[in-house]
Amino acid sequence: MRVFVNMVLRAVVVSGVAAVVSAQAPQAPPTAVIFENVRVFDGRTNRLSAPSTVLVVGNVIRSVSAGAVTPPPEARVTRVAGGGRTLMPGLIDAHTHMMFAGIPQAAGLTADIGFINIAAAKSANEMLMRGFTSGRDLGGPIFGLKRAIDEGLTPGPRIWASGAFVSQTGGHGDFRLPTELPSPPGNHSYSERMNMAAIADGPDEVRRRVREQLALGASQIKLMAGGGVSSAFDPLDVTQYGPDELRAAVESAANWGTYVTVHAYTPRAVRQALEAGVKCIDHGQLLDEATAKLMAEKGAWWSLQPFLEDQDMVPFPEGSASRAKQLEMISGTDTAYKLAKQHGIRTAWGSDTLFDPKLAERQGAQLAKLVRWYTPFEVLKMATADNGELLALSGPRNPYGKVGVVEDSALADLLLVDGDPLADISLVADPAKNFVVIMKDGVIYKNALESRAGRGTGR
């Protein structure tokens, strides 16, 4: 015990000395980036601005002006000649699984966690290079990757983390094999030990599991409230958790100032979740009009995915149970979007890509597919300002600040697009070609244009 205390004291002393040295060291001059001659899509307005100048100081947008801007006199200035291109907010994916996007399902459930983390870091970098500067991660052992990105150890998007899927026994987040059931008391499967899933039955256990994720740093909680396509145990029509268990999760999250989102497809599962105080429904492809009306009355968010019978569908074997569930779910996609628009429900977009790196590459193409139901402006607004509002629902558990807009005091997550995406939404489907500058948190991660560097006014 004495050795441990001495080690802690030495760590405190070293930390204190480091803080003093840091305080005495000269402060680096602030950085500033000036985007010149750009037409701005601000995330909210259905047309581009007149030619404008946007000033970024540090990691924050300081001004959007029709004229010249003045950076801090001591700033190191980089000027980006926009050439009339479109400057827009970084894209936001409201339903990601970054730990699992780039690896097969078998690897996700059996591989060493070190391998999974390294593969996830690669996937996160690729996501950022597709212009997605933020993601709401709805299930997986994400906290280490989030910390590594936030501390600058590896490039990637901002992450609003849920942590482990919270699931009942036999629910959509129960990844155990049939041979592992019944589970002995206190026994945890690999997916539970790695914080991929948290199996919880009964209100008290749900509270404990939710509080664990919040303690680890969750921005919001993800609960499995209904059957799923890929899961082994549950048919699609199954309603998961009871009202008391759902309320336990909602109350535990609310005590931390945040909210619960649920995986659910059917009216019964969604209605039960809404009555318990759930603030966001993810999926919901099989909803009826009465449930859509209830969602509108409750002011809940509907996080939808454009699941269609096309190249973006996971190829489950024909004749399998998952394939049958997949076809049933897909059959409701058109109706779901129609109901969301008809009843003015606050709608978010997310890709929900897992276990397929080729599918992950089509993140922008999946977004562009929304023109089947929306105008290009509505699509871009959903993936920027609207998704940003959903992220802000985390309240004090929001780990960052204002994103999804180009305006004073917003975080500097920006894309310079070679063209007008309000006129041609397909530009977002080919980010390697069309996103010539990608900035996150005031840092330029991609610049395909020539830039000039200087100090002060840059002259």
Side-chain angles (χ1 to χ4, degrees):
M1 182 64 182
R2 181 177 298 172
V3 172
F4 174 78
V5 171
N6 288 336
M7 290 174 63
V8 172
L9 288 173
R10 282 198 297 270
V12 171
V13 170
V14 170
S15 176
V17 170
V20 171
V21 172
S22 176
Q24 293 175 346
Q27 294 295 311
T31 60
V33 178
I34 300 176
F35 291 91
E36 302 172 314
N37 187 21
V38 293
R39 302 190 67 195
V40 176
F41 168 61
D42 63 8
R44 295 193 176 104
T45 308
N46 64 358
R47 61 186 180 278
L48 300 183
S49 72
S52 302
T53 305
V54 177
L55 170 65
V56 173
V57 178
N59 69 339
V60 175
I61 298 170
R62 288 302 183 199
S63 68
V64 180
S65 171
V69 298
T70 303
E74 72 281 9
R76 294 176 297 138
V77 180
T78 298
R79 293 179 179 270
V80 178
R85 296 176 178 87
T86 302
L87 189 72
M88 63 174 285
L91 297 169
I92 301 170
D93 191 329
H95 192 134
T96 68
H97 298 283
M98 293 185 214
M99 297 303 295
F100 304 129
I103 55 177
Q105 185 171 11
L109 296 178
T110 62
D112 183 272
I113 194 65
F115 168 79
I116 294 173
N117 275 301
I118 292 171
K122 177 177 182 292
S123 295
N125 179 44
E126 291 167 350
M127 180 173 163
L128 178 60
M129 290 300 98
R130 290 192 291 270
F132 287 88
T133 53
S134 292
R136 189 177 64 136
D137 197 87
L138 296 187
I142 192 72
F143 298 117
L145 177 62
K146 171 180 163 48
R147 179 179 176 181
I149 292 172
D150 289 348
E151 293 187 5
L153 300 181
T154 188
R158 302 179 190 276
I159 298 175
W160 277 254
S162 296
F165 307 93
V166 181
S167 171
Q168 69 175 45
T169 295
H172 185 51
D174 189 345
F175 304 127
R176 293 172 294 185
L177 297 173
T179 52
E180 295 179 275
L181 301 178
S183 175
N187 184 62
H188 297 293
S189 65
Y190 176 73
S191 63
E192 291 175 273
R193 295 196 305 274
M194 295 300 106
N195 208 47
M196 299 175 187
I199 306 301
D201 296 298
D204 289 343
E205 187 69 9
V206 168
R207 286 189 188 93
R208 185 161 74 91
R209 293 303 194 190
V210 166
R211 289 166 179 169
E212 287 173 349
Q213 300 312 309
L214 292 166
L216 290 171
S219 298
Q220 66 284 317
I221 295 298
K222 168 72 174 297
L223 226 67
M224 301 304 197
V229 170
S230 60
S231 41
F233 297 121
D234 51 339
L236 209 60
D237 64 288
V238 168
T239 299
Q240 296 173 16
Y241 282 125
D244 54 347
E245 292 167 309
L246 291 166
R247 283 194 296 271
V250 168
E251 290 167 2
S252 296
N255 286 343
W256 281 64
T258 187
Y259 70 99
V260 171
T261 188
V262 298
H263 163 105
Y265 287 111
T266 64
R268 187 175 189 275
V270 169
R271 291 181 73 87
Q272 181 174 256
L274 292 171
E275 295 293 354
V278 165
K279 297 288 184 67
C280 182
I281 304 298
D282 273 84
H283 308 316
Q285 268 75 3
L286 301 180
L287 294 193
D288 55 19
E289 185 161 9
T291 310
K293 286 181 178 178
L294 179 63
M295 196 183 304
E297 291 168 5
K298 296 281 188 181
W301 281 85
W302 194 348
S303 175
L304 265 168
Q305 298 73 38
F307 292 146
L308 299 169
E309 180 67 356
D310 60 15
Q311 61 184 314
D312 295 325
M313 269 292 98
V314 176
F316 291 107
E318 292 296 334
S320 67
S322 285
R323 177 60 173 159
K325 291 191 286 185
Q326 184 182 62
L327 291 172
E328 181 184 358
M329 179 270 292
I330 289 171
S331 70
T333 296
D334 275 316
T335 299
Y337 277 108
K338 176 183 174 182
L339 289 172
K341 293 187 70 177
Q342 178 183 338
H343 295 284
I345 297 168
R346 293 186 291 180
T347 306
W349 169 82
S351 60
D352 191 24
T353 297
L354 297 96
F355 307 130
D356 191 333
K358 291 297 183 184
L359 184 56
E361 291 174 3
R362 288 185 47 78
Q363 198 170 16
Q366 292 181 60
L367 173 62
K369 237 174 18 180
L370 291 180
V371 291
R372 178 175 175 136
W373 305 282
Y374 298 96
T375 67
F377 161 66
E378 290 171 327
V379 173
L380 292 174
K381 179 174 179 286
M382 190 182 300
T384 55
D386 292 353
N387 275 1
E389 289 182 17
L390 173 58
L391 295 179
L393 201 64
S394 294
R397 303 288 80 77
N398 181 348
Y400 306 106
K402 185 192 298 183
V403 295
V405 291
V406 181
E407 61 185 42
D408 293 3
S409 79
L411 291 171
D413 298 352
L414 299 167
L415 308 176
L416 188 62
V417 185
D418 195 7
D420 178 3
L422 292 177
D424 182 8
I425 192 66
S426 69
L427 292 172
V428 305
D430 191 355
K433 176 183 178 183
N434 301 315
F435 294 171
V436 294
V437 175
I438 297 174
M439 170 183 280
K440 191 204 91 174
D441 207 37
V443 176
I444 295 176
Y445 286 87
K446 174 184 177 180
N447 188 356
L449 304 173
E450 293 183 0
S451 61
R452 306 190 306 275
R455 283 188 179 274
T457 61
R459 289 180 289 185

